[in-house]
Amino acid sequence: MKKFEYMEKHGYEQLVFFYDKTTGLKGITCIHDTTLGPALGGTRLWNYEKEDDATLDVLRLARGMTYKAAAAGLNLGGGKTVLIGDASKVKSEAYFRGLGRYVQSLNGRYITAEDINTSTKDMDYVNMETDYVVGLEGKSGNPSPMTALGAFHGIQASLEEVYGDMTIEGRTFSVQGAGQTGYYLIGYLLEAKAKKIYFTEINEQHINKVKKEFPEVEFVQPDDIYGLEVDVFAPCALGAVMNDQTIPQLKCKIVAGTANNVLEDEEKHGNMLKEAGVLYAPDFVINAGGLINVYHELQGYNREKAKRDISRIYDRMRDVYRLARENDTHTQQAAKLFAKERIKTISNLRANYIKR
Ligand code: NAD
């Protein structure tokens, strides 16, 4: 792959390849943009078939983190690390301490955290070699309830946009996936007196947990979730669930949940939803609660302060929707404009010299 061409096209700052001869650790860290602050993004361990697959993945993921942090109002840039290897074979104390040493060598330009196939326990080893790691055991805790809380505020903003009233009470919902985030979202919606909630799941344990704890929530089969007559469909499971097959089935007014990469094709399906009169809550804005929560570790963690910041997702969503209206564009596009605008404004603001 033509790495420099790709970096130039999307404004990347740094791409670092590292190999540790003691443990066989093979990884790539990408720093996309540090205009707003240090690049933060988790470390993903994956058995990539080709080095170029890993490179492209880290480049894309790091760029996504730049937009996510910017739209969340955080003073963070976007970065990511991918490690190439089989998670069932490579993990050890030395492996993650090795990673910590490479993170440290970037001198605070990049801060790591857990991601797919890496855990808080692994990050404790990373922390033995660097301070530039968040999401540690005993600090900000499990991010999922906070991601769900952010989505709850994002749903309120979406209701306000569509109905001119953010009240959950009296509204109806369908939730796809009752895992780490969907389960908590169902809880928040019930607490706010949602009129009716449907959910779907494929994991028996998760189905039984919801049925037991929230008997008023109705289970439907996975394929039946899209066509329900509800106000809000909340995707909290997989990516690419808004596509050519599912969008024509929708009878809801709003698609707003925790899942990443909900639109199979951002341009095409963003526009399809807009044309169908369905408001789409951009994934990286509405699901930033976990990131906001972990960011607070860098400032000395305070749960109430973190929750206050997460509640501002409401305002950010309102701003994104206004931008979409003003530019007559789909909301995913508007969210990117919103993030880029913040990066540009803050960078211009710093153009004059001030002695500190
Ligand atoms: P999870 O794995 O805990 O939960 C997902 C649930 O969806 C599982 O219970 C799974 O059985 C279920 N599921 C899978 N396929 C399904 C299908 N076809 N129909 C119905 N249910 C299905 O994951 P999570 O942490 O809740 O994350 C959900 C989504 O939110 C993912 O896209 C993730 O990237 C995104 N996200 C999560 C966080 C977080 O803090 N956990 C933060 C940002 C984004």
Side-chain angles (χ1 to χ4, degrees), residues 86-100:
D86 181 342
S88 65
K89 294 195 184 126
V90 297
K91 282 185 168 200
S92 69
E93 174 188 347
Y95 183 83
F96 284 106
R97 289 183 72 160
L99 168 66

Side-chain angles (χ1 to χ4, degrees), residues 26-312:
K26 262 191 253 170
I28 316 170
T29 295
C30 175
I31 295 176
H32 174 240
D33 185 298
T34 57
T35 307
L36 295 175
L40 190 147
T43 294
R44 180 168 296 190
L45 170 55
W46 199 254
N47 213 355
Y48 294 96
E49 251 181 53
K50 300 190 198 116
E51 284 172 23
D52 273 359
D53 294 347
T55 309
L56 194 59
D57 211 22
V58 79
L59 284 160
R60 281 201 192 125
L61 291 165
R63 189 159 91 244
M65 289 306 295
T66 298
Y67 296 140
K68 186 165 181 166
L74 303 175
N75 291 322
L76 288 176
K80 199 85 185 181
T81 295
V82 299
L83 303 177
I84 304 169
D86 181 342
S88 65
K89 294 195 184 126
V90 297
K91 282 185 168 200
S92 69
E93 174 188 347
Y95 183 83
F96 284 106
R97 289 183 72 160
L99 168 66
R101 295 182 67 76
Y102 286 107
V103 172
Q104 182 64 22
S105 74
L106 293 168
N107 203 22
R109 275 176 53 70
Y110 167 69
I111 301 165
T112 198
E114 61 179 313
D115 197 80
I116 294 172
N117 284 329
T118 61
S119 66
T120 50
K121 191 170 144 255
D122 300 329
M123 291 304 130
D124 282 343
Y125 292 134
V126 172
N127 191 215
M128 288 178 187
E129 302 293 336
T130 183
D131 291 331
Y132 303 118
V133 52
V134 289
L136 298 166
E137 207 86 65
K139 293 224 174 146
S140 66
N142 179 4
S144 306
M146 297 304 213
T147 301
L149 181 64
F152 176 80
H153 293 298
I155 287 173
Q156 288 179 312
S158 309
L159 289 170
E160 180 70 40
E161 179 71 15
V162 170
Y163 298 108
D165 181 353
M166 64 185 266
T167 316
I168 301 285
E169 189 172 357
R171 296 282 170 210
T172 52
F173 301 86
S174 54
V175 180
Q176 182 180 47
Q180 291 258 43
T181 55
Y183 164 79
Y184 287 102
L185 182 62
I186 291 172
Y188 293 131
L189 293 171
L190 280 177
E191 214 173 81
K193 301 194 170 65
K195 184 174 162 194
K196 176 80 194 172
I197 305 175
Y198 300 91
F199 86 106
T200 189
E201 242 307 332
I202 52 168
N203 176 317
E204 272 310 311
Q205 260 181 334
H206 294 178
I207 296 173
N208 292 335
K209 188 174 175 198
V210 172
K211 282 186 174 170
K212 189 164 166 240
E213 291 183 32
F214 310 124
E216 63 273 56
V217 175
E218 189 176 328
F219 176 77
V220 297
Q221 292 301 328
D223 287 344
D224 297 337
I225 196 77
Y226 302 106
L228 295 171
E229 297 252 14
V230 289
D231 295 304
V232 182
F233 166 57
C236 300
L238 316 158
V241 293
M242 286 295 99
N243 52 47
D244 288 352
Q245 283 72 46
T246 57
I247 295 173
Q249 297 177 45
L250 295 177
K251 295 199 185 84
C252 61
K253 284 273 174 236
I254 295 165
V255 173
T258 60
N260 273 318
N261 307 319
V262 171
L263 304 174
E264 187 179 275
D265 177 321
E266 287 199 354
E267 261 319 289
K268 183 179 181 195
H269 299 116
N271 277 321
M272 254 175 98
L273 284 167
K274 180 174 181 279
E275 275 151 31
V278 177
L279 182 70
Y280 172 67
D283 47 8
F284 66 89
V285 185
I286 194 170
N287 73 18
L291 177 66
I292 297 171
N293 191 49
V294 99
Y295 171 74
H296 276 258
E297 272 187 32
L298 298 170
Q299 336 238 309
Y301 188 68
N302 176 314
R303 199 171 170 82
E304 286 317 305
K305 240 175 113 190
K307 279 171 126 175
R308 240 188 350 262
D309 243 8
I310 290 168
S311 73
R312 296 202 179 104

